[in-house]
Amino acid sequence: MPSMGNLDAKLLNKSAIGATFLMMGQIFTKIFTFILNQLLLRYISSNVFGITSFIEFLISCSLFYSREGIRLACQRINKNDQIKKNDEKNQIYDNTFIGTIQKIINLSYIPIIIGLPISIILLSSQLNIWNYKFHNISFILIWGSIILELILEPFYNLNQFELNFKIRTKIESISLIIKCILQFSCFIYFNKKSNGKLDNGCYVLSFVIGQFFYSLTNFSLYLLNYKYHKKYKENTIFLKKIFQNNNDNDNDNNDNNFFYFDKKAIEYWKNILIQLLFKYLLTEGDKFIINYLCSIDEQGIFALINNYGSLITRLIFAPIEETLRLYLTKLFSSDQQQHYLQLQKKNLLINILNLLIKFYLYLSFFILIFAPPNTKFLLELIVGKNWSSEFFIKTFKIYWLYLPFLSINGIMEAIFYSLADDSIEILNYSKYMILTSVIFIFNSIVLIKFFNLSIVGLIIANIINMLLRIVYCFKFLSKFINDKDMNLLSNLLLNDSNNFYCTISAIIIYLIHSMVIKNTQVSNFTDFVKSSILGFTLLCIFLIIERKLIIEKILPKKKIS
């Protein structure tokens, strides 16, 4: 029988490979979509970009409220590899592999049930704000896209439960490429048909068509993947009763001893549901606020800043956060009744957190030192001078300061959602999220309306919001690992001499960059080359300082194999 250490190492290795697949898939698709989007941005206005961004937000809002809680709950189901085929009554039993798979399928119907009314109410109440051409057909395609995304949930959750990131990356990459090609093709078609005088509704319809076929491709490929898995052949894709394990002599009594939904998973879903709602409000609340407090043009500008500024988040941070959450949930699923970690798992968690914070710290140095000075030059090169107004550039520079807080909050909340199993702890965090929501809304209104900071005020309110959430999650982690004085957590940053040396190096490079680049603003290709050389120099310094750690993490497999 494999040891706990071997199982943990195997799970960690599978999660690390999964994170790599997600990252590579994100990079490939983002490069492809990035090129097509640049071509479109040269033709569309900030007004149109604001409308399509808000439609995309409504879709993600409907889907998040409907399915996110169930996705997390499915990961809480304990995997059982016991093979027991259905009996002559074609009944499925608990504590078997087939029963585990059916639990996930059954749970995945909850998003469909609650998603239908949510999507209709949300779309009908918001999309009537704008009267643009092809409004009705756009509405139907948007709702169809949401429905397709909801009915593929059983297939998606099964794939996630198996940690099969390779399949997910392939499916989502293909779907995204099809979406972008269709959007671009429709735009070119409508633009040519209107002799260059393209109505805003035509662009919105082009976007919606691409979105619909993205969802359709996702659904089709996940369905095919499910059909080709022979290990699911004993299961049904429809809701089905799951019977408790019965004794052969007591079959009649157990015919009524069944359930549809796993009780533990449902309890977890109920506990985190309100919390997730407030998390989404805080994460995406800026879009709610900007919709009511800012003009359509400002919405378009913020959408573009958010798209470009969060590119690093989507390419690197998001795959790491998701993989970390799935890995820790699986790792500690057998210890869910305990409040403190076993020594072995506690050390493993601290080591992982140490590596992540170190990586995020160093990456933050690059963002803060090199991103703001290069913003104006790169934006004019990429999207043209139409988008390079002084307000746009100034706001973008402030946004860079927000990314480090966003990234650290991401990994801390991933840890919280993986480890928090006590209903009281989850309820406390839900109350805390309500409080931070109120603070965020108050700060946003004050900074935007009374200080006239517009989008900059929204970014500052978000930074304060992230800080509050990071503090709570750090306190929770300290309690979880029984570190009352938070010595272990402080050691992650303060007692690592390499962190100190890298920080000093970053400060020196920053000072040199300020002296070499005139007015600390890259304005031509020569300045860009100088900035790039300094960036490469800092990277080499980091690699030299952390050479022992890099060698240790890259070459340990030789000893094992």
Side-chain angles (χ1 to χ4, degrees):
M1 183 176 179
S3 66
M4 177 64 73
N6 290 335
L7 290 174
D8 291 349
K10 185 177 179 182
L11 183 59
L12 179 60
N13 184 53
K14 191 173 183 180
S15 299
I17 293 172
T20 304
F21 271 118
L22 284 178
M23 229 178 279
M24 292 301 102
Q26 288 278 3
I27 291 172
F28 171 75
T29 53
K30 291 303 176 186
I31 290 174
F32 182 82
T33 56
F34 183 81
I35 294 171
L36 289 181
N37 284 336
Q38 301 329 300
L39 297 174
L40 292 178
L41 281 172
R42 293 180 179 272
Y43 297 97
I44 65 172
S45 65
S46 56
N47 184 285
V48 173
F49 201 79
I51 294 174
T52 56
S53 296
F54 189 69
I55 291 174
E56 197 168 34
F57 163 68
L58 291 177
I59 294 173
S60 67
C61 185
S62 300
L63 293 176
F64 186 90
Y65 286 156
S66 303
R67 70 189 184 186
E68 190 64 23
I70 291 297
R71 285 186 171 186
L72 292 174
C74 284
Q75 298 302 322
R76 292 278 171 159
I77 297 175
N78 291 325
K79 188 173 183 179
N80 195 312
D81 293 324
Q82 179 184 345
I83 304 299
K84 180 178 180 180
K85 292 189 176 182
N86 301 340
D87 58 16
E88 64 277 1
K89 297 180 180 179
N90 200 29
Q91 292 179 343
I92 294 177
Y93 293 97
D94 192 14
N95 296 324
T96 63
F97 175 76
I98 298 171
T100 300
I101 297 302
Q102 197 61 46
K103 285 180 185 179
I104 296 172
I105 293 173
N106 287 356
L107 277 172
S108 299
Y109 273 86
I110 294 178
I112 302 174
I113 296 169
I114 65 178
L116 288 172
I118 287 177
S119 59
I120 293 174
I121 294 170
L122 194 59
L123 290 179
S124 59
S125 63
Q126 294 295 326
L127 288 182
N128 286 329
I129 295 175
W130 298 297
N131 268 324
Y132 48 80
K133 197 175 180 181
F134 304 118
H135 177 275
N136 291 335
I137 190 172
S138 296
F139 179 90
I140 293 170
L141 289 174
I142 292 169
W143 190 66
S145 172
I146 293 173
I147 299 305
L148 285 170
E149 291 284 345
L150 290 175
I151 60 178
L152 67 78
E153 279 300 286
F155 317 125
Y156 175 89
N157 286 329
L158 285 176
N159 190 72
Q160 285 293 93
F161 188 77
E162 299 286 347
L163 297 179
N164 198 340
F165 296 103
K166 185 176 181 180
I167 291 296
R168 177 186 162 187
T169 302
K170 286 181 178 179
I171 290 175
E172 294 184 357
S173 298
I174 292 171
S175 300
L176 195 57
I177 289 172
I178 290 175
K179 171 186 174 179
C180 291
I181 291 175
L182 276 174
Q183 284 179 349
F184 186 74
S185 300
C186 290
F187 175 80
I188 295 300
Y189 170 77
F190 286 127
N191 193 50
K192 188 175 181 180
K193 194 173 180 181
S194 61
N195 296 321
K197 298 178 180 179
L198 192 60
D199 183 84
N200 286 352
C202 293
Y203 179 77
V204 173
L205 181 61
S206 301
F207 168 81
V208 170
I209 290 172
Q211 181 65 40
F212 177 80
F213 278 94
Y214 168 82
S215 301
L216 181 61
T217 306
N218 253 346
F219 171 76
S220 302
L221 293 179
Y222 271 114
L223 177 60
L224 285 174
N225 178 61
Y226 172 82
K227 290 293 184 182
Y228 278 112
H229 268 78
K230 294 182 179 179
K231 60 183 178 180
Y232 300 147
K233 65 181 181 180
E234 294 287 334
N235 291 96
T236 173
I237 198 58
F238 302 105
L239 273 173
K240 188 166 184 177
K241 297 175 182 177
I242 302 172
F243 291 84
Q244 301 289 351
N245 281 340
N246 62 333
N247 298 317
D248 291 338
N249 297 327
D250 197 25
N251 284 342
D252 293 334
N253 292 333
N254 280 278
D255 281 345
N256 295 322
N257 192 11
F258 65 86
F259 61 91
Y260 283 101
F261 303 115
D262 182 78
K263 184 178 179 181
K264 197 170 186 179
I266 289 293
E267 283 298 316
Y268 179 76
W269 174 63
K270 289 178 181 178
N271 287 336
I272 66 169
L273 189 58
I274 300 299
Q275 187 183 120
L276 286 173
L277 296 181
F278 281 99
K279 179 190 175 182
Y280 191 76
L281 177 62
L282 288 171
T283 305
E284 302 289 341
D286 46 14
K287 294 176 182 176
F288 281 112
I289 290 172
I290 200 172
N291 182 54
Y292 291 103
L293 297 181
C294 300
S295 66
I296 292 293
D297 287 330
E298 287 177 321
Q299 291 178 44
I301 290 172
F302 180 76
L304 186 63
I305 291 173
N306 199 40
N307 277 348
Y308 281 107
S310 63
L311 198 60
I312 296 174
T313 304
R314 297 194 300 272
L315 290 178
I316 300 175
F317 299 154
I320 291 176
E321 291 164 16
E322 182 170 359
T323 306
L324 178 66
R325 176 170 53 79
L326 292 173
Y327 167 67
L328 292 179
T329 301
K330 294 285 186 184
L331 184 64
F332 295 107
S333 60
S334 59
D335 301 319
Q336 291 183 6
Q337 300 303 320
Q338 300 179 11
H339 293 288
Y340 305 107
L341 299 174
Q342 298 170 358
L343 181 61
Q344 179 185 6
K345 292 186 177 182
K346 180 178 76 171
N347 291 334
L348 179 60
L349 175 60
I350 293 299
N351 289 335
I352 291 172
L353 188 60
N354 183 29
L355 291 174
L356 286 174
I357 289 181
K358 187 183 289 288
F359 171 71
Y360 279 27
L361 177 67
Y362 297 165
L363 187 59
S364 296
F365 286 144
F366 281 97
I367 294 173
L368 297 177
I369 294 173
F370 300 105
N374 286 279
T375 298
K376 188 175 189 298
F377 175 76
L378 290 176
L379 283 175
E380 289 181 352
L381 186 68
I382 294 170
V383 296
K385 294 189 177 182
N386 293 333
W387 286 85
S388 58
S389 65
E390 185 179 346
F391 170 74
F392 180 66
I393 300 301
K394 176 187 174 183
T395 306
F396 214 138
K397 288 181 179 180
I398 300 295
Y399 188 88
W400 292 120
L401 302 177
Y402 166 59
L403 286 185
F405 297 97
L406 180 66
S407 62
I408 295 298
N409 176 71
I411 61 169
M412 293 311 303
E413 287 199 335
I415 291 173
F416 177 85
Y417 285 112
S418 302
L419 304 182
D421 194 50
D422 181 29
S423 59
I424 297 177
E425 184 64 60
I426 294 174
L427 179 62
N428 288 338
Y429 192 50
S430 298
K431 294 177 181 177
Y432 187 76
M433 293 287 267
I434 295 173
L435 175 63
T436 53
S437 298
V438 173
I439 294 173
F440 170 69
I441 294 171
F442 174 79
N443 288 337
S444 299
I445 293 173
V446 170
L447 293 170
I448 293 174
K449 280 292 183 184
F450 295 97
F451 287 90
N452 296 319
L453 292 178
S454 185
I455 304 173
V456 174
L458 192 63
I459 296 172
I460 295 173
N462 266 319
I463 291 175
I464 297 171
N465 170 36
M466 291 297 154
L467 270 174
L468 292 173
R469 288 157 66 177
I470 290 170
V471 168
Y472 187 97
C473 291
F474 260 114
K475 286 185 177 180
F476 164 78
L477 181 58
S478 178
K479 176 184 175 183
F480 194 83
I481 60 178
N482 199 20
D483 180 29
K484 296 180 181 178
D485 299 323
M486 294 186 73
N487 292 325
L488 286 172
L489 295 177
S490 63
N491 288 345
L492 295 178
L493 292 174
L494 302 179
N495 291 351
D496 190 331
S497 59
N498 286 352
N499 289 349
F500 174 76
Y501 296 139
C502 287
T503 302
I504 295 299
S505 302
I507 293 173
I508 293 172
I509 291 294
Y510 170 74
L511 294 174
I512 295 173
H513 192 278
S514 300
M515 291 185 290
V516 170
I517 307 299
K518 186 178 180 181
N519 298 324
T520 66
Q521 180 73 51
V522 172
S523 57
N524 52 57
F525 186 73
T526 303
D527 287 345
F528 179 70
V529 171
K530 292 177 183 177
S531 182
S532 300
I533 291 172
L534 286 173
F536 181 73
T537 302
L538 183 60
L539 176 62
C540 292
I541 293 172
F542 284 176
L543 292 176
I544 292 171
I545 293 174
E546 295 289 359
R547 62 189 181 279
K548 291 183 179 179
L549 177 64
I550 295 170
I551 293 172
E552 177 189 336
K553 296 303 175 184
I554 291 177
L555 302 177
K557 304 294 180 184
K558 291 185 178 179
K559 295 180 181 180
I560 297 175
S561 56

